[in-house]
Amino acid sequence: MIAHSERAVRDGKLPVRLGQEPKWEHVSGPATTLLLLLIVGVIWTARVFEDNYDHLVIDGQIGLLMLVAVASAFLLLIFSPRLIAVLESSAPTRVVVRLFGPNSLPAMWFEFVSRVLSTVDSWLVYIVAPVGGVTLKSDFNRYAVMATYLLSCGVLAWHLPAPWGLAPLFWAFLLAFSISRRWAWVEGDRALTLRKPDYSEDQLRVGVEQDLRDEALLGLLSFILLLPLGMRQLHFASSELPVFQLGSGASDDLITWMQFFGVELTKAVPFVDWADIYNVRTESVIRAETAMSSHVVFVTRAIVDLLFLASLLQAISVSMRLMSHKRMFFDRELNVLDPMIEKKEFGRLAYKKGDQWVFLEDIEKFKHYDTKALSRLRVANKGTVTYRVATEIMRLNGVDVSTQGERFLEAASSKSPNVSRVLGAMQSAVDANDLPLEFLVPAHRNLNGRKAFNQARIEIVRLIVNLPQSDERTTALRHILVGPDSDRTAQVREMAIAPLEIAARSDARVAKTLERASKDDRSGSIRWAAEKALSRVTPREPAPAL
């Protein structure tokens, strides 16, 4: 977890300390406040229920109050924007600002709630979820790591004495929930890539390389085994006051507890208490006949409703959206495919026969594909069937697929690059003004660490420095200065300091990069240069006079 945390900080995804950049505020403060009030209300109701177990009666008066409360909540959501607009137009500005302005008490509370929960959500996505293997490239490895974690937690929860078995169960729940949250972030990034075919990687929070739908559902599916184990742990947590009532002859085995949970699961599906409505009689050797057991059953049902079934419905919704997206693409309403199905669809359009690539007639249906998206695919998938298909689509549309920039990238990205060929291709691309950042970054990465290409890397970094200021350019220079892809030559790393100093004036992440270089770089000259640049960005206060 520490390694994943440091990587997220280095990549500018998480702040070094709370309050620093980046400040995620993607969780809605007002909506979360309403949810917190609802949770408090549920806990209070459960407490009232516990004090009046078997004596609580919901009469017509309470039912009428509930109708009024629900109707009031809907009316508040409907008319609150209009009410605020009326106040802004009729009341004095200072009164409106005091009630609803950025410095008002509600606004500060909403911002606080949003920051806290957004920070926790980011920790789950960037630190906890990668522990479960979601960042691994291989599908088999992702499933293997995740299954190993969940099964190990289940075995520990069964064999550890109560209540210590709750600890591995808590970790398993946290891991499964974190993977589910990362899946939600991936879906958000997918929506961005569809809206902007020429998107930059820096605009994505986690990327779209892995489709985590199946992993998220697998983690939630493990609840079928883990929740019964949790109920068992709670039951044996106190020998004097057991939570559930075990019938005579009931055996303490996994099947018995899964049967009990299955009965409650049946009553919970699908979101309505159909068993209570139709007065269905349930039979189980384990019975919930105390207030505490009712609390436990209520929580497990809530987990099933809010996480398990909701995620299942979300997965169905995503599948239906993808089907609709494919239909719109082939109807020429869209000119780019979802990145999760892009390579799969491209892979069906060609096959290799001997030394030749054969393209199917269906490739004609892809002629309207976005040219920028095709270029991105060609850069990221050299030598693959995706590269060949993207090249063929561009050729069918009369687009030049053999530019000077691509020749340079091909020369610099080969397994055994030739110095003269790389330098010659670079000069030709410079003369043709065809060396975008998307070509320079992978070329530098492949040539890094090769002494024969020191001069080539100097020229590459000089070209990056001379590009117009952008977030993508700043990110490339940060990675050249620090991190696993940093240049092996101090002279090249030093070239990145001056432009980063300018960017650091408006970006705290860049200042953090300079700070890291000033402390950790292996070259004294780099440490000194980074420290000087940092002092000009964030000057230290003078020491107090003695």
Side-chain angles (χ1 to χ4, degrees):
M1 291 180 64
I2 294 176
H4 292 300
S5 174
E6 290 180 347
R7 181 178 182 85
V9 170
R10 186 201 72 209
D11 293 341
K13 302 296 185 181
L14 287 178
V16 182
R17 287 180 290 274
L18 292 180
Q20 294 186 339
E21 297 290 342
K23 297 176 181 177
W24 294 116
E25 293 184 53
H26 53 275
V27 178
S28 170
T32 306
T33 299
L34 291 176
L35 179 60
L36 292 175
L37 291 175
L38 178 62
I39 293 174
V40 171
V42 170
I43 294 174
W44 176 80
T45 304
R47 181 62 181 172
V48 172
F49 172 81
E50 185 174 350
D51 294 338
N52 301 274
Y53 187 69
D54 280 344
H55 301 289
L56 194 63
V57 177
I58 300 178
D59 56 17
Q61 216 171 7
I62 296 178
L64 184 60
L65 288 174
M66 180 58 67
L67 283 177
V68 172
V70 172
S72 300
F74 275 91
L75 289 174
L76 181 63
L77 290 174
I78 293 171
F79 292 108
S80 57
R82 295 174 177 83
L83 179 61
I84 293 174
V86 170
L87 288 174
E88 288 178 341
S89 60
S90 61
T93 305
R94 55 186 176 84
V95 176
V96 176
V97 171
R98 187 179 304 168
L99 292 175
F100 305 102
N103 296 323
S104 64
L105 184 60
M108 288 190 293
W109 167 256
F110 292 152
E111 183 180 3
F112 170 76
V113 171
S114 176
R115 288 238 180 134
V116 170
L117 293 184
S118 297
T119 299
V120 172
D121 192 32
S122 299
W123 287 344
L124 294 178
V125 170
Y126 289 125
I127 300 177
V128 180
V131 175
V134 296
T135 57
L136 298 176
K137 302 294 184 181
S138 167
D139 292 343
F140 175 80
N141 291 340
R142 290 203 304 273
Y143 285 123
V145 171
M146 186 176 177
T148 301
Y149 265 111
L150 296 176
L151 289 175
S152 300
C153 290
V155 171
L156 289 174
W158 178 263
H159 290 285
L160 286 176
W164 302 110
L166 292 175
L169 286 178
F170 174 77
W171 171 249
F173 291 146
L174 185 65
L175 186 63
F177 181 69
S178 300
I179 294 175
S180 177
R181 288 300 305 150
R182 189 169 178 111
W183 172 39
W185 283 37
V186 170
E187 292 300 322
D189 285 347
R190 290 171 70 174
L192 175 64
T193 61
L194 293 177
R195 294 195 305 268
K196 299 178 61 176
D198 56 343
Y199 68 92
S200 167
E201 290 294 334
D202 278 0
Q203 295 176 289
L204 305 182
R205 294 192 293 178
V206 292
V208 292
E209 292 184 4
Q210 286 93 18
D211 183 359
L212 300 179
R213 181 195 64 176
D214 296 342
E215 288 83 345
L217 293 180
L218 177 61
L220 296 173
L221 180 64
S222 67
F223 285 12
I224 293 178
L225 172 63
L226 299 178
L227 284 175
L229 294 178
M231 299 168 80
R232 177 180 178 270
Q233 281 284 326
L234 291 172
H235 175 71
F236 289 110
S238 174
S239 58
E240 299 178 356
L241 187 62
V243 174
F244 300 99
Q245 300 296 321
L246 272 67
S248 58
S251 58
D252 178 32
D253 56 35
L254 181 60
I255 298 298
T256 301
W257 285 99
M258 291 187 68
Q259 287 175 341
F260 172 61
F261 176 68
V263 170
E264 298 301 328
L265 180 64
T266 304
K267 293 165 65 177
V269 177
F271 302 104
V272 292
D273 289 331
W274 66 276
D276 294 335
I277 293 173
Y278 292 103
N279 199 25
V280 176
R281 187 166 56 90
T282 58
E283 293 184 356
S284 176
V285 295
I286 301 177
R287 298 186 299 275
E289 297 181 348
T290 64
M292 181 57 68
S293 63
S294 298
H295 294 333
V296 174
V297 171
F298 174 78
V299 171
T300 55
R301 284 198 188 187
I303 292 175
V304 169
D305 283 349
L306 299 178
L307 293 180
F308 188 80
L309 293 178
S311 296
L312 185 61
L313 292 177
Q314 182 181 351
I316 295 174
S317 174
V318 169
S319 298
M320 294 178 65
R321 189 169 66 246
L322 286 178
M323 292 175 60
S324 175
H325 174 78
K326 286 180 62 175
R327 178 189 59 77
M328 294 177 68
F329 173 80
F330 288 114
D331 289 344
R332 294 182 177 267
E333 298 177 35
L334 298 174
N335 64 349
V336 66
L337 280 172
D338 184 282
M340 295 298 182
I341 59 177
E342 197 172 46
K343 293 182 181 180
K344 183 178 180 180
E345 292 296 324
F346 276 38
R348 295 174 176 175
L349 298 176
Y351 63 93
K352 198 170 185 180
K353 186 176 182 180
D355 294 333
Q356 301 294 324
W357 284 93
V358 179
F359 301 97
L360 304 184
E361 294 182 358
D362 286 346
I363 199 171
E364 293 286 339
K365 299 178 181 178
F366 291 76
K367 288 182 65 175
H368 65 292
Y369 214 92
D370 183 81
T371 303
K372 291 183 178 179
L374 290 173
S375 297
R376 173 178 52 81
L377 284 174
R378 296 182 74 241
V379 171
N381 298 276
K382 285 285 186 179
T384 66
V385 62
T386 301
Y387 171 84
R388 299 292 178 179
V389 171
T391 302
E392 181 64 13
I393 295 173
M394 294 177 72
R395 189 191 65 79
L396 291 174
N397 288 324
V399 179
D400 186 7
V401 295
S402 183
T403 64
Q404 298 293 342
E406 289 195 358
R407 292 195 187 109
F408 161 71
L409 181 59
E410 183 178 355
S413 301
S414 63
K415 293 183 179 180
S416 301
N418 179 273
V419 177
S420 59
R421 183 187 174 200
V422 169
L423 292 175
M426 183 191 302
Q427 187 58 51
S428 299
V430 169
D431 295 339
N433 194 23
D434 184 32
L435 270 183
L437 187 65
E438 293 79 7
F439 291 174
L440 294 170
V441 171
H444 174 271
R445 187 181 301 117
N446 190 62
L447 299 178
N448 196 12
R450 303 174 189 258
K451 292 183 178 180
F453 290 90
N454 285 354
Q455 185 60 38
R457 296 202 310 279
I458 290 175
E459 295 301 324
I460 289 174
V461 174
R462 180 176 290 114
L463 290 169
I464 294 176
V465 170
N466 291 333
L467 289 173
Q469 169 62 29
S470 66
D471 291 340
E472 294 80 7
R473 168 181 171 271
T474 298
T475 299
L477 293 173
R478 287 175 55 218
H479 290 170
I480 288 171
L481 181 60
V482 300
D485 294 329
S486 63
D487 199 278
R488 300 296 186 268
T489 304
Q491 180 184 359
V492 181
R493 295 197 304 275
E494 189 173 3
M495 296 172 63
I497 294 179
L500 288 178
E501 177 185 339
I502 298 174
R505 297 168 186 168
S506 58
D507 192 336
R509 293 176 299 175
V510 183
K512 178 59 185 176
T513 299
L514 291 173
E515 180 182 354
R516 182 177 175 186
S518 68
K519 295 178 179 179
D520 300 337
D521 198 276
R522 53 189 175 275
S523 170
S525 62
I526 298 296
R527 293 196 299 270
W528 179 84
E531 185 176 1
K532 295 294 289 183
L534 190 63
S535 67
R536 290 189 289 268
V537 174
T538 55
R540 296 186 177 92
E541 296 182 1
L546 297 176

